[in-house]
């Protein structure tokens, strides 16, 4: 419809361009899964902060978060505090390397220090899967090389995405069952705790 308003056409054009850009971005997003872990400080607050930081990342949308699970530390120094573990499912326009860079930046923002292998940490953010991509790049192995044998990864992953599969290894549900379920490795659901899905 014709109008004498001189701002109407540019505004309408700009809005259409922005909508087209948003739709284009949505069509090119990829499915990714990240594991979150913390055993220092306020563990629940840290995990929630990590979920929120990922959601605040341009090109990343958090579509699901798991329940919180508590696990005794595996490997590393003795007498570590137990971990809170969770999994977040994402849609992202970032390529794998950029998502890894963002994951590392989120860890750093929460004071992650890498001094002792498998030592205690304020926050761990690991990419478990990126759209089924297989990568043997030592900087970013995909899928995560030990995800299929860790109940503290599989239990929250199954919770966040019941149909999930670990590329090259099979359905998460079957892998977890093969480990004796969450209980088989001392992974305990913390039904009293909950992470919020960012709006």
């Amino acid at each position: 419809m014709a109008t004498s308003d001189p701002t109407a056409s540019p505004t309408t054009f700009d809005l259409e361009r922005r909508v087209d850009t948003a739709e284009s971005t949505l069509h090119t997003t990829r499915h990714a899964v990240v594991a979150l872990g913390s055993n220092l400080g306020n563990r629940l607050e840290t995990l929630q902060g990590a979920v929120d930081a990922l959601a605040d990342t341009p090109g990343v949308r958090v579509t699901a978060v798991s329940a919180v699970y508590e696990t005794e530390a595996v490997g590393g120094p003795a007498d570590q505090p137990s971990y809170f573990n969770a999994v977040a499912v994402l849609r992202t326009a970032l390529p794998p390397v950029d998502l890894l860079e963002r994951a590392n930046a989120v860890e750093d923002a929460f004071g992650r220090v890498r001094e002792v292998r498998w030592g205690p940490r304020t926050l761990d953010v690991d990419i478990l899967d990126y759209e089924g991509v297989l990568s043997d790049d030592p900087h970013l192995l995909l899928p995560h090389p030990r995800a299929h044998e860790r109940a503290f990864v599989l239990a929250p992953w199954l919770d966040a995405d019941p149909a999930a599969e670990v590329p090259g290894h099979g359905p998460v549900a079957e892998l977890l069952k093969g480990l004796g379920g969450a209980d088989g490795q001392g992974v305990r659901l913390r039904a009293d705790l909950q992470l919020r899905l960012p709006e």
Side-chain angles (χ1 to χ4, degrees):
M1 187 173 75
T3 176
S4 58
D5 182 351
T7 65
S9 292
T11 302
T12 303
F13 174 78
D14 184 53
L15 179 60
E16 287 175 353
R17 181 183 56 75
R18 283 186 283 144
V19 169
D20 286 346
T21 301
E23 287 183 352
S24 171
T25 300
L26 286 174
H27 288 309
T28 57
T29 60
R30 300 287 182 261
H31 175 89
V33 183
V34 296
L36 308 170
S38 173
N39 76 333
L40 292 178
N42 187 325
R43 298 167 293 174
L44 182 64
E45 189 176 285
T46 297
L47 292 187
Q48 184 64 60
V51 170
D52 293 343
L54 288 168
D56 286 343
T57 305
V60 173
R61 183 163 60 93
V62 179
T63 60
V65 290
S66 72
V68 177
Y69 290 78
E70 187 165 11
T71 315
E72 295 303 315
V74 177
D79 301 324
Q80 289 188 58
S82 61
Y83 277 87
F84 281 0
N85 295 105
V87 159
V89 179
L90 317 174
R91 294 297 301 182
T92 181
L94 299 180
V97 172
D98 289 356
L99 184 59
L100 175 64
E101 188 175 287
R102 178 58 178 159
N104 290 339
V106 171
E107 288 180 341
D108 292 343
F110 283 88
R112 168 73 187 267
V113 177
R114 295 169 177 79
E115 291 179 343
V116 180
R117 182 171 171 79
W118 293 329
R121 64 209 72 173
T122 51
L123 179 63
D124 209 4
V125 181
D126 287 326
I127 301 174
L128 301 177
D129 178 40
Y130 184 98
E131 194 86 355
V133 167
L134 302 177
S135 168
D136 57 5
D137 182 329
H139 296 293
L140 180 56
L141 296 166
L142 290 171
H144 189 283
R146 292 174 296 281
H148 65 286
E149 57 193 31
R150 291 178 165 176
F152 67 83
V153 168
L154 296 172
W157 192 350
L158 181 65
D159 186 72
D161 182 1
E165 295 198 12
V166 181
H169 295 283
V172 168
E174 292 300 315
L175 292 167
L176 183 59
K177 186 177 176 182
L179 295 175
D183 294 341
Q185 292 186 359
V187 178
R188 185 165 60 97
L189 172 64
R190 288 294 303 265
D192 57 319
L193 305 176
Q194 189 173 5
L195 294 173
R196 299 181 314 278
L197 188 63
E199 296 180 2

